[in-house]
Amino acid sequence: MRFLPGINARGSSQERAEFEVLRHEFRSHRPLRRQSDPQAAAIGAAGGGAVVNVGGGAHGYPGRADNVASKQGATGLMSTAALEYAPRGIRVNEVLPGPVDTPALAALSDQERAAVATAIPLGRTGRPREIAAAIAFLLSDEASYVTGTRLTVAGGMWA
């Protein structure tokens, strides 16, 4: 048995695939992780600003350990970035949407869509504009004292 950072891997193709999911997720957040990142420097030099990461899948799901771990890792990166960039006037937050009316959801059968809606305490899936409104709020001056926050917009699904 060999150990990879954060993963107990025996080397099977499934485990290698899981590691690739984690590696991809962390690489996609690389610019935000680096203090020397030119985008962060530009935002700080302009007097500050806000970054909103759209996450998801950060809650446990059977058979999805690789995806859940990568999403939890991305949330940790967001929290760290919020602390590192706050002195530069940069706020970093995350929106975690639940099931939303998208083409992927529309591709499900009526029975599958009904099952999804049943799992949500508000009894329906979200609308894209509801997720957009949460993001707009976190980017706005109205949220000037909000950083390092995970805003779950999921109809109570993960309450």
Side-chain angles (χ1 to χ4, degrees):
M1 182 185 324
R2 63 190 163 98
F3 292 92
L4 297 174
I7 302 173
N8 177 2
R10 295 170 194 248
S12 73
S13 60
Q14 175 64 31
E15 288 162 336
R16 283 194 299 275
E18 290 171 357
F19 180 73
E20 286 303 312
V21 168
L22 291 169
R23 191 169 70 113
H24 171 75
E25 185 70 30
F26 291 136
R27 279 189 175 173
S28 70
H29 294 281
R30 178 176 289 165
L32 191 56
R33 294 189 345 240
R34 295 190 176 181
Q35 282 288 348
S36 62
D37 176 57
Q39 294 169 338
I43 294 170
V51 175
V52 176
N53 181 42
V54 179
H59 298 68
Y61 291 101
R64 303 284 310 271
D66 55 342
N67 185 266
V68 172
S70 71
K71 300 303 181 185
Q72 288 288 346
T75 294
L77 292 172
M78 180 277 302
S79 297
T80 300
L83 295 170
E84 290 176 348
Y85 293 163
R88 295 161 70 176
I90 303 170
R91 297 177 291 109
V92 182
N93 294 290
E94 184 172 35
V95 170
L96 299 174
V100 178
D101 294 331
T102 62
L105 194 63
L108 299 177
S109 70
D110 290 342
Q111 183 179 3
E112 289 169 322
R113 284 194 307 276
V116 169
T118 300
I120 302 168
L122 287 179
R124 66 172 180 85
T125 55
R127 297 177 187 104
R129 70 172 187 244
E130 293 168 317
I131 308 308
I135 294 167
F137 166 71
L138 290 172
L139 291 172
S140 76
D141 289 339
E142 305 282 317
S144 63
Y145 196 60
V146 180
T147 194
T149 295
R150 294 171 63 184
L151 178 57
T152 300
V153 184
M157 189 170 182
W158 299 307

